[in-house]
Amino acid sequence: MDLTVGNIYEGKVTGITGFGAFVQLAPGKSGMVHISEIANTYVDDIHKHLKEGDVVKVKLIAIDQNGRINLSIKKALPPPEKSGAPTVRNAAPSGRDHTRSGAAPVTAAAEGPVQEPTADSQFEDKLRAFMQRSESKMSDLRMQKDRRSGARRRR
């Protein structure tokens, strides 16, 4: 099975840890869904959202230099409905804009075509990817350090 970044796949949850869940996409091909990529809401306990053996749809978001596959469940889901009141700007007689929240909700028909991702969402995506790579590298460094220190103690 040839895996492509950006595609959505169906896989089976094979393991759950405190920082994420492992999903098998095909025989010999598995990846990890970081805890921040499980749901559109805050996830404090992965077991409330997933259990081993669940079949889930995941989006392949990256394959790092070491061949590790990073997956996202929340990016494979349709985008969440925005909650809360949108902000509406009214022009004041003085020419200054005044912001008022609590306006009537805007319907999808009134919004028009789908907008491009905002700079904030692009930044958050880049930050999230950086944090995942950083956490992965730190984990590798800790394992190497533990191996070295364990070998020295045995002598």
Side-chain angles (χ1 to χ4, degrees):
M1 173 181 220
D2 190 29
L3 300 176
T4 307
V5 174
N7 286 355
I8 295 178
Y9 299 96
E10 195 167 275
K12 184 177 182 179
V13 177
T14 58
I16 296 177
T17 66
F19 56 86
F22 292 92
V23 177
Q24 182 175 13
L25 302 173
K29 298 277 186 181
S30 64
M32 190 192 79
V33 179
H34 189 265
I35 190 168
S36 65
E37 294 293 331
I38 290 179
N40 287 316
T41 59
Y42 177 74
V43 177
D44 60 342
D45 183 13
I46 297 172
H47 293 92
K48 292 179 183 177
H49 296 269
L50 296 173
K51 64 180 183 213
E52 286 190 36
D54 284 351
V55 176
V56 293
K57 286 192 181 206
V58 293
K59 182 174 184 176
L60 198 153
I61 54 176
I63 300 176
D64 70 8
Q65 295 170 345
N66 296 328
R68 291 179 292 214
I69 300 169
N70 296 323
L71 305 169
S72 173
I73 293 174
K74 74 179 182 181
K75 289 183 181 174
L77 300 173
E81 298 260 341
K82 293 191 180 204
S83 62
T87 302
V88 177
R89 294 193 175 271
N90 291 329
S94 65
R96 288 187 252 155
D97 283 349
H98 294 281
T99 303
R100 175 178 66 89
S101 84
V106 178
T107 62
E111 289 178 353
V114 177
Q115 297 176 351
E116 292 294 319
T118 64
D120 288 340
S121 67
Q122 290 174 350
F123 172 76
E124 289 173 0
D125 290 342
K126 288 179 182 178
L127 180 62
R128 188 175 298 114
F130 169 79
M131 292 299 291
Q132 287 176 345
R133 285 192 310 270
S134 176
E135 187 173 325
S136 177
K137 288 179 182 178
M138 291 302 294
S139 175
D140 289 346
L141 288 171
R142 282 188 209 106
M143 286 184 2
Q144 288 175 354
K145 180 184 170 195
D146 291 345
R147 283 189 209 130
R148 287 186 200 144
S149 64
R152 289 183 185 145
R153 286 187 214 142
R154 284 186 238 141
R155 291 184 189 173

